Amino acid sequence: MNVLRTLRPSNVILIAAMPFIIYLFVSTNNYKRSIYAIVGIGENASTLFASFLCALVVFSAGFWLAYSLLKNPEKSKASQLGQNAALIIYVTLLALIATNAVDLSIFVDSIIANSVDPYTSDLIQKAVRPRQLTPEAQVLVLSIFSKATFAYLIASLGLLLIHFLSKSKQALVSLSRYALTLLLLANALGAFYILFVAHAGFAAGLMVTLRAAFFAYFASMILGLIWAGLQSLEKKKHTNLFYAIAALIFFGLCAFFAMQPQQSYSLIGSLEGRVAIIKGTPQPVTDQIRFGEYDGANHTSIDIRSVKDPNHALVTVEKNKRVSAAFIPTEAVPADANLLWQTSFLPDESKYPAITFGVLGFFTMLLVICSIYRAEHPLAIAAEFFIDTVRGIPMLVIILYVGLPLSGAIKSASDGAINLSNMTRGIVAISIGYSAYMAEIFRAGILAVPKGQIEAARSLGLSRWQVARFVVLPQALSIVIPPLGNEFIAMLKDTSLLSILSVRDVTQRMREFQASSFLPFAPFNSAAILYVVLTLGAASIIKSIERRYERKSH
């Protein structure tokens, strides 16, 4: 009964209804197929889940062992018992995996097959779903995995041996701490990879939803703290002068790039057919030709054809009867060509920096003017502007904006070097959107700390950072836990919007299954029940954290 009293009433109702829900999914084929498709339960799900747990236990045991040895060198009997248990689990499981006594090959194959490019990699079988390694790749991966696991076991034993030898040799004490720190970091990274990155074929859709929510939540918390910190900045004597100089520097850089030599292009030929335009020609100039909006044109639309260079354009006009004109650099125009239009423009490598620095200069100067008017720090005004702006944009619009045009522009500007996955684009978008709300929550928590405490801390000689670290943040965080929990639940539900970017989370898999099965209710009901279970579970965890903080505060 005491356990039931600690649960939320809504959770008690859900637990009471759980047998009926389970019966519904087990006894009704439509619901059973729906939940399998939505959660993303693939082939060999039980084996994959067991392997996932095994790998997670190994890394967790190694992490806890290293952490415990670092934290409790003077160990009690209880901690010694725990350390011995972790050591036995860690070494035994690693040895069993390295000798293939515990077979993780299916799990490893699944991770590798879903990590490589399906179109270019020779490791996976083409046109096979779900992805599978070729027989040769399976042998190669198993061999490498066994050797890597054996090497990891030897390295771990070596690091632990340094620690145990340090008890008798004083010279190894400092080296022992480095060894344990290295062991802790290696196992922490391993656990993080298994939990948040590695393909989870036993519940791919559910794990995508949870991972997106966790990553977006922590990223938005960091951004929110940054915005809240900027809002609390105080203006000093020369702050406005510093930012005014920065604005002038931005304007100077804008002028420098704007004054770079322009490229001269000419439209030659006739407008009876298509126009050959070199790939990479600025879009506004291309649109002028496409819609006949240049000087001397008849304002009628004309088709264009993309070519790779001026020579290709001239050859296309000569040999292809459907192409009658070309838009090429003026220096490449033949002497006898029929000139239709000539223009000049800045190349992209000068135009985009000029626009960027111009916008930065204008925005910085506006911040300085507002700072003089409001007597606040320019960055505090910038943070307030960001928060007010982002809160006024629907989350779906932010996701579409970040996921499509902004990511495309970054990819083009970096020449393909920065090409974010759809999942990463969605996480970045949700993080930006929710960081505005997080900032207001943190700001409210910071303002709730009595100013007398801050003044007292400063009078004791604490720096600004020390006041924030030891006085403000501990109290502010305990105040903002309930609203932060609410934001996590809202974010967990809003991950469903990532389906618009084709991220295969619970919602996207629900839509795919409904479209292929034509079932009217089962997919939607299954997804709704799954989201309810997730959000109520999250609410219970948040509630327990609140109770723990309440006990500490008393």
Side-chain angles (χ1 to χ4, degrees), residues 90-146:
Y90 182 61
V91 175
T92 305
L93 275 179
L94 264 181
L96 292 174
I97 295 171
T99 56
N100 291 325
V102 172
D103 187 8
L104 301 186
S105 59
I106 295 177
F107 183 56
V108 175
D109 289 352
S110 172
I111 292 174
I112 300 297
N114 287 277
S115 302
V116 299
D117 190 333
Y119 302 105
T120 59
S121 176
D122 295 328
L123 294 176
I124 62 173
Q125 302 179 37
K126 305 299 181 187
V128 175
R129 294 290 182 276
R131 297 183 192 176
Q132 292 181 9
L133 295 179
T134 62
E136 298 80 10
Q138 288 179 355
V139 174
L140 177 65
V141 168
L142 180 60
S143 172
I144 294 174
F145 176 71
S146 298

Coordinates of all heavy atoms in Angstrom, one line a residue, residues 90-146:
Y90 N 32.2 -7.7 -14.6 CA 32.9 -7.0 -15.7 C 33.9 -8.0 -16.4 O 33.8 -8.2 -17.7 CB 33.6 -5.8 -15.2 CG 34.3 -5.0 -16.2 CD1 33.6 -4.4 -17.3 CD2 35.7 -4.7 -16.1 CE1 34.3 -3.6 -18.2 CE2 36.4 -4.0 -17.0 CZ 35.7 -3.4 -18.1 OH 36.3 -2.6 -19.0
V91 N 34.7 -8.6 -15.7 CA 35.8 -9.4 -16.3 C 35.2 -10.7 -16.8 O 35.6 -11.1 -17.9 CB 36.9 -9.7 -15.2 CG1 37.9 -10.7 -15.7 CG2 37.5 -8.5 -14.7
T92 N 34.2 -11.3 -16.1 CA 33.7 -12.6 -16.6 C 32.9 -12.4 -17.9 O 33.1 -13.1 -18.9 CB 32.7 -13.1 -15.5 OG1 33.4 -13.3 -14.3 CG2 32.2 -14.5 -16.0
L93 N 32.0 -11.3 -18.0 CA 31.3 -11.1 -19.2 C 32.2 -10.7 -20.4 O 32.0 -11.2 -21.5 CB 30.3 -10.0 -18.9 CG 28.9 -10.4 -18.3 CD1 28.0 -9.2 -18.1 CD2 28.2 -11.5 -19.2
L94 N 33.2 -9.9 -20.1 CA 34.1 -9.6 -21.2 C 34.9 -10.8 -21.7 O 35.0 -11.0 -22.9 CB 35.2 -8.5 -20.7 CG 34.9 -7.1 -20.9 CD1 36.0 -6.2 -20.4 CD2 34.7 -6.8 -22.4
A95 N 35.3 -11.7 -20.8 CA 36.0 -12.9 -21.2 C 35.0 -13.8 -22.0 O 35.5 -14.4 -23.0 CB 36.5 -13.6 -19.9
L96 N 33.8 -13.9 -21.5 CA 32.8 -14.8 -22.2 C 32.6 -14.2 -23.6 O 32.4 -15.0 -24.6 CB 31.6 -14.9 -21.4 CG 31.6 -15.7 -20.1 CD1 30.3 -15.6 -19.3 CD2 32.0 -17.1 -20.4
I97 N 32.5 -12.9 -23.8 CA 32.2 -12.3 -25.1 C 33.4 -12.5 -26.0 O 33.3 -12.8 -27.2 CB 31.9 -10.8 -24.9 CG1 30.5 -10.7 -24.2 CG2 31.8 -10.1 -26.3 CD1 30.2 -9.3 -23.8
A98 N 34.6 -12.3 -25.4 CA 35.8 -12.4 -26.2 C 36.1 -13.8 -26.8 O 36.6 -14.0 -27.9 CB 37.1 -11.9 -25.4
T99 N 35.6 -14.8 -26.0 CA 35.8 -16.2 -26.4 C 34.6 -16.7 -27.1 O 34.5 -17.9 -27.4 CB 36.1 -17.1 -25.2 OG1 35.0 -16.9 -24.2 CG2 37.4 -16.7 -24.6
N100 N 33.6 -15.8 -27.4 CA 32.4 -16.2 -28.1 C 31.5 -17.2 -27.3 O 30.6 -17.8 -27.9 CB 32.6 -16.8 -29.5 CG 33.2 -15.7 -30.5 OD1 32.8 -14.5 -30.4 ND2 34.1 -16.1 -31.3
A101 N 31.8 -17.3 -26.0 CA 30.9 -18.1 -25.2 C 29.5 -17.4 -25.1 O 28.5 -18.1 -24.9 CB 31.5 -18.4 -23.8
V102 N 29.6 -16.1 -25.0 CA 28.4 -15.3 -25.1 C 28.4 -14.7 -26.5 O 29.2 -13.9 -26.8 CB 28.3 -14.2 -24.0 CG1 27.1 -13.3 -24.2 CG2 28.2 -14.9 -22.6
D103 N 27.4 -15.1 -27.3 CA 27.4 -14.7 -28.7 C 26.7 -13.4 -28.9 O 25.4 -13.3 -28.7 CB 26.7 -15.8 -29.5 CG 26.9 -15.5 -31.0 OD1 27.6 -14.6 -31.4 OD2 26.2 -16.3 -31.8
L104 N 27.4 -12.3 -29.3 CA 26.8 -11.0 -29.6 C 26.9 -10.7 -31.1 O 26.7 -9.6 -31.5 CB 27.4 -9.9 -28.8 CG 27.4 -10.0 -27.3 CD1 28.0 -8.7 -26.7 CD2 26.0 -10.2 -26.8
S105 N 27.1 -11.8 -31.9 CA 27.4 -11.5 -33.3 C 26.2 -10.9 -34.0 O 26.3 -10.0 -34.9 CB 27.8 -12.8 -34.0 OG 26.8 -13.8 -33.9
I106 N 24.9 -11.4 -33.7 CA 23.7 -10.8 -34.4 C 23.6 -9.4 -34.0 O 23.2 -8.5 -34.9 CB 22.5 -11.7 -33.9 CG1 22.6 -13.1 -34.4 CG2 21.2 -11.0 -34.4 CD1 21.5 -14.0 -34.0
F107 N 23.8 -9.0 -32.8 CA 23.7 -7.6 -32.3 C 24.8 -6.7 -33.0 O 24.4 -5.7 -33.5 CB 23.9 -7.6 -30.8 CG 23.7 -6.2 -30.2 CD1 22.6 -5.5 -30.4 CD2 24.7 -5.6 -29.4 CE1 22.4 -4.2 -29.9 CE2 24.6 -4.4 -28.9 CZ 23.4 -3.7 -29.1
V108 N 26.0 -7.2 -33.1 CA 27.1 -6.5 -33.7 C 26.8 -6.3 -35.2 O 27.0 -5.3 -35.8 CB 28.4 -7.2 -33.5 CG1 29.5 -6.4 -34.2 CG2 28.7 -7.2 -32.0
D109 N 26.4 -7.4 -35.9 CA 26.0 -7.4 -37.3 C 25.0 -6.3 -37.6 O 25.0 -5.6 -38.6 CB 25.6 -8.7 -37.8 CG 26.7 -9.7 -37.8 OD1 27.9 -9.3 -37.6 OD2 26.5 -10.9 -38.1
S110 N 23.9 -6.3 -36.7 CA 22.8 -5.4 -36.9 C 23.3 -3.9 -36.8 O 22.9 -3.0 -37.5 CB 21.8 -5.6 -35.8 OG 20.8 -4.6 -35.8
I111 N 24.2 -3.7 -35.8 CA 24.8 -2.3 -35.6 C 25.6 -1.9 -36.9 O 25.4 -0.8 -37.4 CB 25.7 -2.2 -34.4 CG1 24.8 -2.4 -33.1 CG2 26.4 -0.9 -34.3 CD1 25.6 -2.5 -31.8
I112 N 26.5 -2.8 -37.3 CA 27.3 -2.5 -38.5 C 26.5 -2.3 -39.7 O 26.7 -1.3 -40.5 CB 28.4 -3.6 -38.7 CG1 29.3 -3.7 -37.5 CG2 29.2 -3.2 -39.9 CD1 30.1 -2.5 -37.1
A113 N 25.5 -3.1 -39.9 CA 24.7 -3.1 -41.2 C 23.9 -1.8 -41.2 O 23.6 -1.2 -42.3 CB 23.8 -4.3 -41.2
N114 N 23.5 -1.3 -40.0 CA 22.7 0.0 -40.0 C 23.5 1.2 -39.8 O 23.0 2.3 -39.7 CB 21.6 -0.1 -38.9 CG 20.5 -1.1 -39.3 OD1 19.6 -0.7 -40.0 ND2 20.6 -2.3 -38.8
S115 N 24.9 1.1 -39.8 CA 25.8 2.2 -39.6 C 26.4 2.6 -40.9 O 26.9 3.8 -41.0 CB 26.9 1.9 -38.6 OG 26.3 1.5 -37.4
V116 N 26.5 1.8 -41.9 CA 27.1 2.1 -43.2 C 26.1 2.6 -44.2 O 24.9 2.4 -44.0 CB 27.9 0.8 -43.7 CG1 28.9 0.4 -42.7 CG2 26.9 -0.3 -44.0
D117 N 26.7 3.2 -45.2 CA 25.8 3.7 -46.3 C 25.3 2.5 -47.1 O 26.0 1.8 -47.7 CB 26.7 4.6 -47.2 CG 25.8 5.4 -48.2 OD1 24.7 4.9 -48.5 OD2 26.2 6.5 -48.6
P118 N 24.0 2.4 -47.2 CA 23.4 1.2 -47.9 C 23.6 1.2 -49.4 O 23.5 0.2 -50.1 CB 21.9 1.3 -47.6 CG 21.7 2.7 -47.2 CD 22.9 3.3 -46.6
Y119 N 23.9 2.4 -49.9 CA 24.1 2.5 -51.4 C 25.5 2.3 -51.9 O 25.7 1.9 -53.0 CB 23.6 3.9 -51.9 CG 22.1 4.1 -51.5 CD1 21.8 5.0 -50.4 CD2 21.1 3.5 -52.1 CE1 20.5 5.2 -50.1 CE2 19.8 3.7 -51.8 CZ 19.5 4.6 -50.7 OH 18.2 4.8 -50.4
T120 N 26.5 2.6 -51.0 CA 27.9 2.5 -51.4 C 28.7 1.4 -50.8 O 29.7 1.0 -51.3 CB 28.6 3.9 -51.2 OG1 28.5 4.2 -49.8 CG2 27.9 5.0 -51.9
S121 N 28.2 1.0 -49.6 CA 29.0 0.0 -48.9 C 28.9 -1.4 -49.5 O 27.8 -1.8 -49.9 CB 28.6 -0.1 -47.4 OG 29.3 -1.1 -46.7
D122 N 30.0 -2.1 -49.5 CA 30.0 -3.5 -50.0 C 29.8 -4.5 -48.9 O 29.8 -5.7 -49.1 CB 31.3 -3.8 -50.7 CG 31.5 -3.0 -51.9 OD1 30.5 -2.7 -52.6 OD2 32.7 -2.6 -52.2
L123 N 29.6 -4.0 -47.6 CA 29.4 -4.9 -46.5 C 28.0 -5.5 -46.4 O 27.9 -6.5 -45.7 CB 29.8 -4.1 -45.2 CG 31.2 -3.7 -45.0 CD1 31.4 -2.9 -43.7 CD2 32.2 -4.9 -45.0
I124 N 27.0 -4.8 -47.0 CA 25.7 -5.3 -46.8 C 25.1 -5.8 -48.1 O 25.5 -5.4 -49.2 CB 24.8 -4.2 -46.2 CG1 24.7 -3.0 -47.2 CG2 25.2 -3.7 -44.9 CD1 23.7 -2.0 -46.8
Q125 N 24.1 -6.7 -47.9 CA 23.4 -7.2 -49.1 C 22.5 -6.2 -49.7 O 21.7 -5.6 -49.0 CB 22.7 -8.5 -48.7 CG 23.5 -9.6 -48.1 CD 22.8 -10.8 -47.6 OE1 21.8 -11.2 -48.3 NE2 23.1 -11.4 -46.5
K126 N 22.6 -6.0 -51.0 CA 21.7 -5.0 -51.7 C 20.3 -5.5 -51.7 O 20.0 -6.7 -51.9 CB 22.2 -4.8 -53.1 CG 23.7 -4.4 -53.1 CD 24.0 -3.1 -52.4 CE 25.5 -2.7 -52.5 NZ 25.8 -1.6 -51.6
A127 N 19.4 -4.5 -51.6 CA 17.9 -4.7 -51.7 C 17.4 -5.7 -50.8 O 16.4 -6.4 -51.1 CB 17.6 -5.1 -53.2
V128 N 18.0 -5.9 -49.6 CA 17.5 -6.8 -48.6 C 17.1 -6.0 -47.4 O 17.8 -5.1 -46.9 CB 18.6 -7.8 -48.2 CG1 18.1 -8.7 -47.0 CG2 19.0 -8.7 -49.4
R129 N 15.8 -6.2 -46.9 CA 15.3 -5.5 -45.7 C 14.8 -6.5 -44.7 O 14.1 -7.5 -45.1 CB 14.1 -4.6 -46.2 CG 14.6 -3.4 -47.1 CD 15.4 -2.4 -46.3 NE 15.8 -1.3 -47.1 CZ 16.8 -1.3 -47.9 NH1 17.6 -2.3 -48.0 NH2 17.1 -0.2 -48.7
P130 N 15.2 -6.3 -43.4 CA 16.1 -5.3 -42.9 C 17.5 -5.6 -43.4 O 17.8 -6.7 -43.9 CB 16.0 -5.5 -41.4 CG 15.5 -6.9 -41.2 CD 14.7 -7.2 -42.4
R131 N 18.4 -4.6 -43.2 CA 19.7 -4.7 -43.7 C 20.5 -5.8 -43.1 O 20.3 -6.1 -41.9 CB 20.5 -3.4 -43.4 CG 19.9 -2.1 -44.0 CD 20.8 -1.0 -43.7 NE 20.2 0.3 -44.1 CZ 20.8 1.5 -43.8 NH1 22.0 1.5 -43.2 NH2 20.2 2.6 -44.1
Q132 N 21.2 -6.5 -43.9 CA 22.0 -7.7 -43.5 C 23.4 -7.6 -44.1 O 23.6 -7.2 -45.2 CB 21.3 -9.0 -43.9 CG 20.0 -9.2 -43.1 CD 19.4 -10.5 -43.6 OE1 20.0 -11.3 -44.3 NE2 18.1 -10.7 -43.1
L133 N 24.4 -8.0 -43.3 CA 25.7 -8.1 -43.8 C 25.9 -9.3 -44.8 O 25.1 -10.3 -44.7 CB 26.7 -8.3 -42.7 CG 26.9 -7.1 -41.7 CD1 27.9 -7.5 -40.6 CD2 27.3 -5.8 -42.4
T134 N 26.8 -9.2 -45.7 CA 27.1 -10.3 -46.6 C 27.8 -11.4 -45.8 O 28.4 -11.1 -44.7 CB 28.0 -9.8 -47.7 OG1 29.2 -9.4 -47.2 CG2 27.3 -8.7 -48.6
P135 N 27.8 -12.6 -46.2 CA 28.5 -13.7 -45.4 C 29.9 -13.4 -45.2 O 30.5 -13.6 -44.1 CB 28.3 -14.9 -46.3 CG 27.0 -14.7 -47.1 CD 27.0 -13.2 -47.3
E136 N 30.6 -12.8 -46.2 CA 32.0 -12.5 -46.0 C 32.2 -11.4 -45.0 O 33.1 -11.4 -44.1 CB 32.6 -12.0 -47.4 CG 32.6 -13.0 -48.5 CD 31.3 -13.2 -49.1 OE1 30.4 -12.3 -48.9 OE2 31.1 -14.1 -49.9
A137 N 31.3 -10.4 -45.0 CA 31.4 -9.3 -44.0 C 31.1 -9.8 -42.6 O 31.7 -9.3 -41.7 CB 30.4 -8.2 -44.4
Q138 N 30.2 -10.8 -42.5 CA 29.9 -11.3 -41.2 C 31.1 -12.0 -40.6 O 31.4 -11.8 -39.4 CB 28.7 -12.3 -41.3 CG 27.4 -11.7 -41.5 CD 26.3 -12.7 -41.6 OE1 26.5 -13.9 -41.6 NE2 25.0 -12.3 -41.8
V139 N 31.8 -12.7 -41.4 CA 33.1 -13.4 -40.9 C 34.1 -12.4 -40.5 O 34.7 -12.5 -39.4 CB 33.6 -14.3 -42.0 CG1 35.0 -14.9 -41.5 CG2 32.6 -15.5 -42.3
L140 N 34.2 -11.3 -41.3 CA 35.2 -10.3 -41.1 C 34.9 -9.5 -39.8 O 35.7 -9.3 -38.9 CB 35.3 -9.3 -42.3 CG 36.2 -8.1 -42.1 CD1 37.7 -8.6 -42.0 CD2 36.0 -7.2 -43.3
V141 N 33.6 -9.1 -39.7 CA 33.2 -8.4 -38.5 C 33.3 -9.2 -37.2 O 33.8 -8.7 -36.2 CB 31.7 -7.9 -38.7 CG1 31.1 -7.4 -37.4 CG2 31.6 -6.8 -39.7
L142 N 33.0 -10.5 -37.3 CA 33.1 -11.3 -36.1 C 34.5 -11.5 -35.7 O 34.9 -11.4 -34.5 CB 32.5 -12.7 -36.4 CG 32.5 -13.7 -35.2 CD1 31.8 -13.2 -34.0 CD2 32.0 -15.1 -35.6
S143 N 35.4 -11.6 -36.6 CA 36.9 -11.7 -36.3 C 37.4 -10.5 -35.7 O 38.1 -10.5 -34.6 CB 37.6 -12.0 -37.6 OG 39.0 -12.0 -37.4
I144 N 37.0 -9.3 -36.3 CA 37.5 -8.0 -35.7 C 36.9 -7.8 -34.3 O 37.6 -7.3 -33.4 CB 37.1 -6.9 -36.7 CG1 37.9 -7.0 -38.0 CG2 37.4 -5.5 -36.0 CD1 37.5 -6.0 -39.0
F145 N 35.6 -8.1 -34.1 CA 35.0 -7.9 -32.9 C 35.6 -8.8 -31.8 O 35.8 -8.3 -30.6 CB 33.5 -8.2 -33.0 CG 32.7 -8.1 -31.7 CD1 32.5 -6.8 -31.1 CD2 32.3 -9.2 -31.1 CE1 31.8 -6.7 -29.9 CE2 31.6 -9.1 -29.9 CZ 31.3 -7.9 -29.3
S146 N 35.9 -10.0 -32.1 CA 36.5 -10.9 -31.1 C 37.9 -10.4 -30.7 O 38.2 -10.3 -29.5 CB 36.6 -12.3 -31.6 OG 35.4 -12.8 -31.9

